[in-house]
Amino acid sequence: MFPTSPTTAILHTPENPSSADSSISREQGDWAAGIPAKLLEGFTRAEGLSAPPWLLAALVAGAALVSIPRGSWRWFGLFVTFVHEIGHAFAALSAGHRIKGIELRFDHSGQMRSLGRGGFGAVWAGFWGYPVPALTGAVLIWAAVQGWAPAALSAGVLVLALSLLFIRNLQGIAIAAGCAAASVFLLWWTSAATASYAVVALGIGLVVGGVRDWLNLLGVHTRRRHALPSSDAWILARQTGIPSALWLGAFAVIIAACAFASGWLLVSQAQDPR
């Protein structure tokens, strides 16, 4: 046993504790008050993505690392599921439905419930789930290339924060709050140039995540048919009488188009960096 020696604790006590407390409170208040200003500041155009090919390749590799390996997908896939359910919610709102709630779970499952007339509105809301992560990813990549990365972050903070109002389970609150906090961090602490890198990496991750989710859905229809009642394509087939294969194909067409557009944007930027 090692011999022990007396330990001296050195504490720094401010000469005026109340002054220190008020200073901390003022700094916290200034930070909170600065968030709306940061949000508004983000809705301005900055310099577009300017990255050499090696850096773009690194961003693609980084996005692949969070969206392909099972360990990292366990976490990033929660965000992809969140975007999926937000897609259902926006589609439902655009069809005149009222959102009752969104549930998210740590096993990557989720559910959006809305009230409204059936028919086209229900089908429209049910369709815009699986294509939305890839579509969002393509939009984020375009925003980064065109100089709207800060605006994309500001819009993302607003959407994620507002979505908290509709979350109806504890796991969903944890997932949504974590996503919103990460967005606020990027908005507050990154420069416009760094934001463009973060936004393009996030966009690539969402496109890859959208492809991965579709492949998982295809597996439900081909190998894990006991899980069919959870499939959007199966639910749409039940609502419309149109076979699930056609809905799977429609999802695939949009996801593939988003992947192609994303690749074209990145290749074009690599060939002509600003």
Side-chain angles (χ1 to χ4, degrees):
M1 179 180 295
F2 290 100
T4 59
S5 58
T7 303
T8 303
I10 302 175
L11 301 177
H12 173 71
T13 304
E15 295 179 2
N16 188 343
S18 61
S19 174
D21 290 344
S22 63
S23 176
I24 293 172
S25 299
R26 185 166 58 254
E27 290 177 1
Q28 292 174 342
D30 290 346
W31 184 88
I35 292 179
K38 271 285 187 180
L39 284 171
L40 292 175
E41 181 184 330
F43 288 105
T44 55
R45 192 172 187 180
E47 184 177 352
L49 178 69
S50 179
W54 68 266
L55 182 53
L56 283 178
L59 291 173
V60 172
L65 283 175
V66 300
S67 53
I68 295 179
R70 182 173 298 180
S72 55
W73 175 253
R74 177 183 178 187
W75 301 105
F76 187 72
L78 297 174
F79 177 61
V80 176
T81 299
F82 193 13
V83 175
H84 174 119
E85 298 303 333
I86 289 176
H88 283 311
F90 269 95
L93 288 172
S94 70
H97 287 203
R98 181 167 62 87
I99 307 301
K100 285 190 64 179
I102 296 174
E103 292 184 4
L104 303 167
R105 288 174 285 276
F106 293 145
D107 63 357
H108 294 190
S109 63
Q111 182 181 24
M112 189 283 299
R113 298 190 306 275
S114 64
L115 288 176
R117 294 183 178 180
F120 173 78
V123 174
W124 177 256
F127 180 83
W128 290 105
Y130 280 96
V132 170
L135 182 60
T136 303
V139 170
L140 288 178
I141 293 170
W142 174 86
V145 170
Q146 296 299 319
W148 294 106
L153 286 177
S154 291
V157 168
L158 290 175
V159 170
L160 293 174
L162 288 173
S163 68
L164 282 166
L165 299 174
F166 300 100
I167 303 296
R168 295 294 183 265
N169 65 323
L170 290 177
Q171 291 184 19
I173 290 173
I175 294 168
C179 294
S183 297
V184 170
F185 175 83
L186 288 173
L187 178 69
W188 187 266
W189 294 106
T190 59
S191 64
T194 306
S196 67
Y197 300 146
V199 168
V200 78
L202 183 60
I204 296 168
L206 283 172
V207 172
V208 175
V211 173
R212 177 168 182 156
D213 259 359
W214 183 86
L215 291 173
N216 181 64
L217 180 65
L218 181 63
V220 169
H221 284 262
T222 56
R223 299 188 307 275
R224 303 187 303 278
R225 295 183 64 84
H226 63 277
L228 276 176
S230 66
S231 162
D232 288 356
W234 185 85
I235 294 170
L236 288 167
R238 296 262 298 188
Q239 290 175 332
T240 63
I242 299 173
S244 299
L246 293 182
W247 292 112
L248 288 169
F251 295 160
V253 167
I254 297 175
I255 293 169
C258 292
F260 175 82
S262 300
W264 180 81
L265 285 167
L266 292 172
V267 170
S268 298
Q269 201 284 328
Q271 292 175 345
D272 186 26
R274 293 174 176 80

